[in-house]
Amino acid sequence: MKKILIIFCLLFLVAATTGCWNLKEPNQRAFIIGVGMDMTEDKELEISSEIAVPAGLGSSQVTGAGKKSTFTVVSAKGKNFMDAGQHMQAELSRSLFYAHRQTILIGHRMAEQGLDKYLDMIIRNPKSEIRSVILVVKDGTAKEVIRAEPTFDPFISTTLGSQEYSLGIKPYYYRMFLCDALSEGTQPIVPSIKADPSRGYVYAGSAILDKDHGLKLIGYLDPEESMYDNWMMGKQKKLMVTTSIGKGNDTISLELQSLKHRTQIKMVKHMPQIYISLHGVGSIVENNSSLDPSKDEDLIKIQNKFSQKAEDTVRKLVDKAQHQYKLDIFGIGEQIHKQHPREWKSIRPHWHESFPELPITVSVHLRYRDPGQTNSSL
């Protein structure tokens, strides 16, 4: 009898002490899926939040006037992120919940003003999701993009993350942005999109932010330049290359699936010499030329042509970084830090001035996989 009484008491204590005393039910929260950050003309911060609408997600209405939206966008202005969030909360009956945020969009004007003053909340707040994908809106506002109706997904924020996968780019998360912003030898290169009235947005390349001057926007790389820069940084998984070859409008397209990169640093009289080599292996997916890849002579011509085209593109990109923007957008400083840490201590204080004068050698080698499986154009 005594044992039964003890067991009963233990079961009562377990039942009485389990559970979360401060638990909020899902129907008490407003789940933020994406956030847009803009700077108004009077230099006031404006936050736009894409909030999930559960009724729209469970609705059977998929077409017509009766269709329920899967999201709503609420905007508010404030002195800083949390001040704008407080004004936003005043418009909602549910508590804002940031842990499911997938995307952070930065408007063009705000990027020009600099992002360094607005990083604290995203780092400090334990409810903030640092695995959010971050993008800059070229020549537009984050508000207009985050209001766009997605084609395939219920939320535009989900679509933006999927877009990078489809282009073969490793998603650029906010934690990666922080690492680049706080590292000693690289500059943050943030994927960029552009607002489009018919499609909501289009991929626009990358935005270059100068961390030595408040993370201010100083320029953009176009989509092709961005993919080669990603390749040099190890952020590109696949790449499509098309080149003209032969006479007339003869073209060949090569889909590269295996991309490798290497940055070798050699110190000559205490000065770094930079050697960048890129290697890629892929398959010919279209051949509109008279060349036959199954023949060794033609295959060598094709591979050399592709390699030369890619090498020319990379050299122009290096020249642009050194002489137009004068910023290390390839992470070369970080490589010097890793390979020659002792020498980096003396180079680091004047790296910004030294980078434009560095001798950088580039080589690209592209190869076609399984040349015996195809031949000349039909």
Side-chain angles (χ1 to χ4, degrees), residues 50-66:
E50 182 187 29
I51 301 174
V53 178
L57 291 171
S59 174
S60 59
Q61 297 284 349
V62 293
T63 58

Side-chain angles (χ1 to χ4, degrees), residues 195-241:
D196 183 87
S198 60
R199 292 174 286 179
Y201 75 95
V202 292
Y203 176 66
S206 300
I208 303 174
L209 304 181
D210 186 355
K211 69 179 182 182
D212 298 324
H213 296 85
L215 288 171
K216 292 183 178 180
L217 173 70
I218 65 166
Y220 291 94
L221 300 179
D222 64 36
E224 184 181 42
E225 292 172 333
S226 297
M227 291 181 181
Y228 279 98
D229 180 75
N230 289 334
W231 186 358
M232 298 166 72
M233 297 283 287
K235 299 176 182 178
Q236 193 74 27
K237 295 182 179 180
K238 63 180 182 179
L239 182 65
M240 182 73 70
V241 183

Side-chain angles (χ1 to χ4, degrees), residues 23 154 320 376:
L23 174 67
K320 188 174 187 177
S376 58

Side-chain angles (χ1 to χ4, degrees), residues 76-79 82-91:
K77 300 177 183 179
K79 298 177 182 178
M82 293 309 297
D83 186 42
Q86 186 64 24
H87 294 159
M88 189 183 303
Q89 183 65 76
E91 302 180 30

Side-chain angles (χ1 to χ4, degrees), residues 29-179:
R29 296 185 182 274
F31 293 96
I32 294 179
I33 308 301
V35 170
M37 304 173 67
D38 289 304
M39 186 70 67
T40 62
E41 293 183 359
D42 54 357
K43 295 186 178 181
E44 192 174 13
L45 177 65
E46 183 177 26
I47 301 296
S48 301
S49 293
E50 182 187 29
I51 301 174
V53 178
L57 291 171
S59 174
S60 59
Q61 297 284 349
V62 293
T63 58
K67 177 184 178 182
K68 294 182 179 180
S69 178
T70 58
F71 69 94
T72 185
V73 175
V74 181
S75 301
K77 300 177 183 179
K79 298 177 182 178
N80 58 24
F81 196 103
M82 293 309 297
D83 186 42
Q86 186 64 24
H87 294 159
M88 189 183 303
Q89 183 65 76
E91 302 180 30
L92 300 169
S93 60
R94 300 186 179 190
S95 300
L96 294 171
F97 189 69
Y98 295 91
H100 289 303
R101 184 189 58 217
Q102 299 181 28
T103 304
I104 299 174
L105 295 177
I106 308 297
H108 180 87
R109 184 182 287 117
M110 183 173 181
E112 287 183 323
Q113 294 293 324
L115 306 181
D116 61 336
K117 297 179 181 179
Y118 302 98
L119 302 181
D120 187 81
M121 176 271 170
I122 301 178
I123 304 171
R124 187 184 301 273
N125 191 339
K127 299 178 182 179
S128 181
E129 177 55 80
I130 64 172
R131 291 175 297 178
S132 305
V133 174
I134 181 171
L135 304 101
V136 172
V137 181
K138 184 178 181 180
D139 301 329
T141 64
K143 185 177 181 179
E144 60 184 321
V145 174
I146 209 167
R147 289 180 178 274
E149 289 281 352
T151 302
F152 300 108
D153 302 302
F155 310 109
I156 190 67
S157 298
T158 306
T159 300
L160 291 170
S162 301
Q163 174 78 60
E164 296 186 10
Y165 276 112
S166 66
L167 292 171
I169 304 171
K170 292 182 179 179
Y172 192 68
Y173 297 115
Y174 189 80
R175 59 180 174 82
M176 299 168 66
F177 169 70
L178 288 178
C179 290

